[in-house]
């Protein structure tokens, strides 16, 4: 729901608003659906998982109360403070004047965040006082979080959580800025690879112990237990992993990068989490994956819609490559057109990081989409380490 031409190859797509809890439950009843998997944050924050649970339908995804971990940055920062979870120093403010006054408590760079869902685009890392003031002014009145800039490399850690129990799903590294060399505005993500080799097994265990597990316990203790996939955006600082943010879902494009590595029956695992059953951390293949996003020219500010896309079959003839659709639409003529900001997620699997990367770009190069663009440097930090 609502689907796109990519998933239409495998599934029946039904054009219903996925943020409408009643419509989702009615549809699930009408089709005797066994398990609902709520993907994006919008329906979670809107309470779709609550409505399904109330109707007795198994659902993978947190309640609206637990989805606050993504829906409100202020909520998460306060929880981190209570549970002593390592994260950047912060203040919550409500209005522009208050925000400007709070700036004095921070050194530059400083980070300004709107306190709601913004598809990864509500954050400004200000490298001067003037830029911080401009970001606050642009945000206007309304809840905001101002926090200290953390120095380090980012990694994403995904955990399956049911109440106080949390197990590792996989790690990945995203590339949030629109431009090569990590420049330009933040986006939903321009490419990712898995595993994030910089997150060593020791750092991963530490992040679970110091960040994810205390969060699961704190949510359970607060009477708002989390159930689903918890995505911890980490900064690996000199003092160890610190939490930048939580998402309450599989990331995009991280999802496309981690799925091909998961072995065993994934639906069964999701079902076990959904119904509060027994589950273990899934086995992961030792393959590496890389996903490169092809976006519409103008993304993230003003993506140009309607561009013709060809060559997906050619891309998928490259060994190990799968092309996932994001913002695509099928024209009545049968042509595939761009329908949104991020358009395709070209994913490759191989026996090493370098080979996955090479295959992903061979896949991207086989695609013919004149209005599109992509970053050529996905995985650049790891590439530098390996060369
Ligand atoms: P968020 O939406 O909170 O994940 O922020 C988006 C991006 O902004 C993150 O992925 C980081 O690249 C950057 N960012 C956010 N908070 C900080 C911080 N405290 N220090 C450094 N970079 C940050
Ligand atoms: N790629 C970042 C996100 O899904 O939020």
């Amino acid at each position: 729901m609502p689907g796109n031409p990519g998933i239409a190859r495998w599934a029946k797509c039904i054009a219903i608003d996925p943020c409408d809890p009643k419509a989702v439950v009615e549809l699930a009843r009408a089709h005797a659906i066994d398990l609902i998997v709520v993907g994006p944050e919008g329906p979670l924050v809107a309470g779709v998982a609550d409505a399904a649970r109330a109707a007795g339908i198994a659902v993978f995804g947190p309640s609206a109360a637990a989805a606050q971990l993504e829906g409100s940055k202020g909520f998460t920062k306060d929880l981190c403070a209570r549970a002593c979870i390592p994260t950047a120093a912060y203040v919550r403010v409500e209005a522009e004047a208050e925000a400007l006054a709070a700036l004095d408590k921070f050194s530059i760079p400083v980070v300004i965040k709107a306190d709601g869902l913004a598809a990864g685009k509500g954050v400004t890392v200000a490298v001067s006082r003037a830029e911080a003031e401009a970001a606050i002014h642009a945000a206007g009145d309304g809840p905001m979080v101002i926090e200290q800039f953390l120095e380090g490399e980012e990694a994403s850690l995904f955990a399956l959580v049911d109440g106080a129990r949390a197990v590792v799903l996989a790690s990945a590294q995203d590339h949030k800025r629109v431009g090569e060399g990590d420049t330009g505005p933040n986006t939903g993500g321009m490419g990712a690879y898995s595993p994030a080799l910089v997150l060593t097994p020791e750092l991963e265990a530490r992040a679970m112990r110091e960040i994810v597990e205390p969060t699961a316990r704190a949510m359970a203790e607060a009477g708002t237990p989390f159930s689903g996939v918890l995505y911890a955006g980490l900064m690996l600082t000199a003092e160890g992993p610190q939490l930048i943010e939580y998402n309450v879902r599989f990331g995009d494009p991280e999802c496309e990068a981690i799925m091909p590595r998961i072995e065993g029956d994934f639906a069964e695992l999701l079902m076990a989490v959904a119904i509060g059953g027994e589950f273990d951390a899934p086995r992961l293949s030792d393959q590496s994956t890389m996903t490169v996003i092809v976006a519409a020219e103008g993304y993230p500010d003003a993506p140009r819609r309607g561009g013709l896309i060809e060559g997906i079959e050619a891309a998928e003839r490259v060994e190990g490559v799968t092309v996932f659709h994001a913002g695509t639409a099928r024209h009545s003529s049968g042509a595939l057109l761009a329908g949104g900001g991020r358009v395709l997620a070209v994913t490759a699997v191989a026996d090493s990081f370098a080979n996955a990367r090479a295959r992903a770009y061979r896949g991207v190069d086989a695609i013919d989409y004149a209005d599109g663009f992509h970053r050529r440097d996905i995985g650049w930090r790891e590439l530098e380490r390996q060369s």
Side-chain angles (χ1 to χ4, degrees):
M1 298 170 59
N4 68 21
I7 200 164
R9 287 186 290 178
W10 311 104
K12 180 170 172 184
C13 298
I14 300 182
I16 282 179
D17 175 8
C19 290
D20 179 347
K22 200 162 153 266
V24 175
V25 167
E26 274 169 14
L27 184 78
R29 280 218 176 102
H31 293 265
I33 296 297
D34 296 310
L35 173 66
I36 300 176
V37 179
V38 187
E41 63 275 26
L44 290 167
V45 169
V48 166
D50 305 77
R53 271 189 202 102
I57 303 168
V59 57
F60 181 85
S63 65
Q68 286 301 296
L69 282 175
E70 174 165 357
S72 167
K73 292 183 187 294
F75 172 91
T76 299
K77 296 298 280 189
D78 289 353
L79 178 129
C80 287
R82 282 202 311 279
C84 299
I85 291 167
T87 188
Y90 74 107
V91 292
R92 292 177 76 165
V93 292
E94 292 292 334
E96 191 176 333
E98 200 189 344
L100 290 171
L103 272 185
D104 295 332
K105 299 196 184 96
F106 297 89
S107 57
I108 301 293
V110 64
V111 186
I112 317 290
K113 302 184 175 184
D115 192 13
L117 293 180
K121 290 162 244 168
V123 173
T124 303
V125 177
V127 295
S128 69
R129 170 104 193 185
E131 199 187 342
E133 288 175 359
I136 288 169
H137 185 66
D141 286 334
M144 248 178 275
V145 169
I146 301 179
E147 65 179 52
Q148 195 52 62
F149 177 78
L150 296 172
E151 189 78 54
E153 185 166 338
E154 284 178 65
S156 308
L157 177 60
F158 295 81
L160 291 173
V161 177
D162 185 36
R165 178 162 161 70
V167 301
V168 172
L169 179 62
S171 68
Q173 188 173 60
D174 188 18
H175 296 69
K176 291 221 163 111
R177 301 297 193 98
V178 74
E180 287 174 9
D182 293 332
T183 53
N186 269 321
T187 68
M190 293 300 293
Y193 62 92
S194 177
L197 297 165
V198 65
L199 191 68
T200 60
E202 294 70 34
L203 285 175
E204 185 175 283
R206 188 168 167 192
M208 287 299 288
R209 195 169 62 239
E210 295 181 0
I211 298 173
V212 176
E213 289 165 9
T215 300
R217 283 196 298 272
M219 292 297 285
E221 280 160 18
T224 52
F226 188 92
S227 174
V229 60
L230 186 59
Y231 159 171
L234 304 174
M235 187 67 87
L236 305 178
T237 72
E239 287 80 46
Q242 301 220 22
L243 182 73
I244 300 176
E245 66 156 354
Y246 277 126
N247 295 312
V248 297
R249 52 182 170 79
F250 298 100
D252 183 13
E254 293 95 324
C255 185
E256 294 91 320
I258 65 180
M259 285 300 158
R261 297 187 54 228
I262 297 171
E263 295 186 336
D265 190 332
F266 193 56
E268 213 165 82
L269 183 61
L270 297 185
M271 183 60 118
V273 176
I275 63 175
E278 297 281 315
F279 62 93
D280 290 317
R283 271 174 297 113
L284 294 177
S285 79
D286 52 14
Q287 302 279 93
S288 284
T289 59
M290 181 171 286
T291 300
V292 177
I293 291 290
V294 180
E297 203 58 70
Y299 176 76
D301 300 323
R304 189 185 309 161
R305 285 164 213 271
L308 179 65
I309 306 158
E310 292 180 310
I312 289 185
E313 297 75 13
E316 290 196 324
R317 279 196 293 273
V318 177
E319 196 179 353
V321 168
T322 305
V323 180
F324 295 100
H325 293 224
T328 62
R330 185 74 66 191
H331 188 260
S332 54
S333 67
L336 188 67
L337 305 180
R342 292 184 296 170
V343 175
L344 300 171
V346 181
T347 297
V349 182
D351 57 359
S352 68
F353 165 82
N355 290 340
R357 187 171 192 279
R359 283 180 175 179
Y361 279 109
R362 255 184 274 140
V364 168
D365 290 340
I367 289 169
D368 189 1
Y369 168 36
D371 280 352
F373 76 97
H374 62 276
R375 277 180 59 168
R376 257 351 255 187
D377 67 341
I378 301 304
W380 66 269
R381 289 186 191 78
E382 189 54 39
L383 204 60
E384 272 180 9
R385 267 191 291 274
Q386 294 193 6
S387 63

